[in-house]
């Protein structure tokens, strides 16, 4: 038995249980001439994955069995003009198949981060090396809107919009096909974030099999500031300031900074901050600008930042070299 589990913007998702089934799809929304002549109108031609099929008429019966039946179904007029299309995707029991994505170091399929509290965030994933796939569609909403949000996509399937009373998300697929960038246009960075964001990425294989991956988070849980801006004042003093992408004022969005002074020979000269020992660093709080006096014979100073009010990620290290003699 097969059943429809989702129908959105030209995509029909079917759930199959192994038995033979059929699912009707229509070409046109039953215009008057089709209603009058019935489904026996022979001026509508169907193709599956670009190959002409023997079925004709406004209704087409998709044959479903196990993982078979998925594909791109297009209907055309007799002169070959495209009238409509439906992409049929098959969702199987997750325990009966391999996964098309692989888990990251955090034992999760999706990695999400944001550089500030403006309502923007980015999620990425890693494809399994032996399986080819692409994003089929995206659903983004606040947790309490799980069943009350409406999602649609643009004709090119690169942008998805999900709206509800609590949020208004737009998401774009990266050019690499391995990530998405989203924005909640109703988010206010100065208000308390009362509901988690719930993001679901639906990906499909070349065989039109569908898989879904979800993640829930507050922006404060995934925030990671951009690199700190650091420079030399003179041979013994450096200064740094907040990343330009960070929210202001700093009194409302304070950052904590971690500092490390490096002496001796340069082992990794291109990035001397790599593999720093956290136990040999200092942590300080700062307002907009911070001056720091370095010790004698220090070769480089490394600085990174994190949100001072929550246990979130540190930024990448920024360094300035050759300070004191």
């Amino acid at each position: 038995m097969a059943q429809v589990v989702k129908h959105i913007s030209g995509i029909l998702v079917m759930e199959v249980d192994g038995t033979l089934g059929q699912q009707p799809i229509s070409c046109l929304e039953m215009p008057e001439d089709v209603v009058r002549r019935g489904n026996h109108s022979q001026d509508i031609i169907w193709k599956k994955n670009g190959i002409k099929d023997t079925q004709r008429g406004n209704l087409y019966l998709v044959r479903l069995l196990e993982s078979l039946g998925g594909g791109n179904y297009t209907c055309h007029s007799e002169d070959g003009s495209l009238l409509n299309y439906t992409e049929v995707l098959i969702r199987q029991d997750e325990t009966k198949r391999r996964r098309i994505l692989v888990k990251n170091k955090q034992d999760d399929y999706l990695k999400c981060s944001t550089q500030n509290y403006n309502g923007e965030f980015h999620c990425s994933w890693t494809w399994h090396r032996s399986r080819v796939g692409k994003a089929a569609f995206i659903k983004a909403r606040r947790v309490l809107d799980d069943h009350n949000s409406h999602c649609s996509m643009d004709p090119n399937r690169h942008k998805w919009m999900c709206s509800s009373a609590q949020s208004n998300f737009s998401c774009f697929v990266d050019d690499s096909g391995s990530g998405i960038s989203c924005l909640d246009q109703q988010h206010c960075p100065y208000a308390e974030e009362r509901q988690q964001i719930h993001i679901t990425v639906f990906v499909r294989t070349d065989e039109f099999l569908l898989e879904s991956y979800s993640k829930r988070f507050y922006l404060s849980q995934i925030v990671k500031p951009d690199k700190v801006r650091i420079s030399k004042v003179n041979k013994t003093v450096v200064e740094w300031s907040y990343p330009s992408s960070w929210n202001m004022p700093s009194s409302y969005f304070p950052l904590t900074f971690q500092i490390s002074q490096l002496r001796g020979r340069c082992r990794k000269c291109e990035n001397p901050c790599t593999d720093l020992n956290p136990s040999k660093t200092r942590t300080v709080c700062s307002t907009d600008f911070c001056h720091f006096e370095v010790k004698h014979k220090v070769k480089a100073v490394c600085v990174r930042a994190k949100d001072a009010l929550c246990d979130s990620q540190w930024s990448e290290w920024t360094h300035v070299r050759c300070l004191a003699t």
Side-chain angles (χ1 to χ4, degrees):
M1 180 179 180
Q3 64 178 12
V4 178
V5 293
K6 189 177 292 291
H7 198 177
I8 176 175
S9 301
I11 295 178
L12 181 67
V13 179
M14 302 295 302
E15 195 170 73
V16 297
D17 61 4
T19 60
L20 180 64
Q22 291 184 327
Q23 174 63 38
I25 56 176
S26 62
C27 178
L28 305 176
E29 293 298 326
M30 302 305 290
E32 291 184 4
D33 60 332
V34 174
V35 173
R36 184 172 56 254
R37 289 178 290 173
N39 191 50
H40 300 291
S41 173
Q42 297 298 301
D43 57 358
I44 295 179
I45 301 168
W46 286 89
K47 294 181 180 180
K48 178 183 178 181
N49 299 328
I51 300 175
K52 187 175 179 180
D53 196 277
T54 56
Q55 293 191 55
R56 297 172 72 98
N58 188 54
L59 292 181
Y60 182 98
L61 290 179
V62 178
R63 298 179 180 88
L64 300 163
L65 177 63
E66 293 289 350
S67 60
L68 304 177
N72 283 316
Y73 294 85
T74 57
C75 55
H76 308 257
S77 59
E78 286 192 318
D79 63 4
S81 300
L82 177 66
L83 299 176
N84 205 346
Y85 71 93
T86 300
E87 184 177 42
V88 177
L89 302 176
I90 307 299
R91 192 173 79 178
Q92 294 177 296
D93 186 340
E94 293 184 359
T95 63
K96 296 181 179 180
R97 54 176 166 74
R98 297 177 297 164
R99 304 291 280 177
I100 194 173
L101 301 186
V102 295
K103 290 186 176 182
N104 53 35
K105 294 180 180 179
Q106 290 73 40
D107 198 35
D108 202 354
Y109 291 103
L110 301 179
K111 179 182 179 181
C112 300
S113 65
T114 180
Q115 58 188 205
N116 53 44
Y117 289 101
N118 289 338
E120 300 174 84
F121 61 91
H122 182 266
C123 294
S124 61
W125 55 85
T126 301
W127 299 104
H128 194 284
R129 62 183 180 182
S130 65
R131 304 188 70 195
V132 180
K134 67 177 183 178
F137 54 94
I138 311 297
K139 186 175 183 180
R141 64 279 192 201
R142 295 287 176 173
V143 168
L144 293 183
D145 290 330
D146 272 356
H147 303 292
N148 298 310
S149 61
H150 173 72
C151 296
S152 60
M153 71 176 73
D154 69 354
N156 294 323
R157 300 190 183 185
H158 292 299
K159 179 181 180 180
W160 285 264
M161 293 75 68
C162 294
S163 59
S164 69
Q166 304 295 326
S167 60
N168 186 13
F169 285 95
S170 60
C171 296
F172 296 85
V173 178
D174 297 348
D175 292 338
S176 66
S178 299
I180 55 170
S181 297
C182 298
L183 168 65
D184 182 1
Q185 300 178 28
Q186 290 186 215
H187 174 72
C188 176
Y190 301 97
E192 181 181 357
E193 195 176 18
R194 297 182 179 275
Q195 297 181 40
Q196 286 183 307
I197 293 171
H198 189 185
I199 183 79
T200 303
V201 179
F202 297 84
V203 298
R204 75 162 180 83
T205 69
D206 282 349
E207 293 77 30
F208 298 94
L209 301 180
L210 187 72
E211 299 178 359
S212 63
Y213 301 85
S214 294
K215 191 175 183 68
R216 298 185 181 190
F217 52 83
Y218 293 105
L219 292 178
S220 60
Q221 294 175 312
I222 65 168
V223 69
K224 179 180 180 179
D226 280 338
K227 288 184 176 182
V228 176
R229 295 177 293 181
I230 184 173
S231 62
K232 290 188 294 183
V233 175
N234 53 47
K235 289 184 177 182
T236 60
V237 176
V238 298
E239 68 176 11
W240 63 82
S241 59
Y242 277 49
S244 59
S245 59
W246 189 250
N247 297 94
M248 299 300 285
S250 58
S251 58
Y252 197 87
F253 299 97
L255 289 174
T256 293
F257 299 94
Q258 199 169 60
I259 310 158
S260 182
Q261 302 181 73
L262 305 179
R263 299 184 182 186
R265 297 179 60 183
C266 174
R267 291 183 298 174
K268 297 182 178 180
C269 294
E270 292 185 1
N271 186 3
C273 308
T274 303
D275 299 329
L276 282 177
N277 186 347
S279 65
K280 296 182 179 181
T281 62
R282 285 182 59 185
T283 302
V284 298
C285 294
S286 165
T287 53
D288 292 3
F289 284 88
C290 186
H291 290 78
F292 183 78
E293 187 171 351
V294 300
K295 295 180 180 179
H296 185 55
K297 294 185 179 180
V298 166
K299 301 299 183 182
V301 172
C302 300
V303 180
R304 64 179 180 175
K306 65 176 290 187
D307 190 326
L309 303 180
C310 64
D311 186 20
S312 56
Q313 299 181 71
W314 287 100
S315 70
E316 300 298 322
W317 289 101
T318 306
H319 73 275
V320 62
R321 62 175 75 248
C322 302
L323 300 171
T325 59

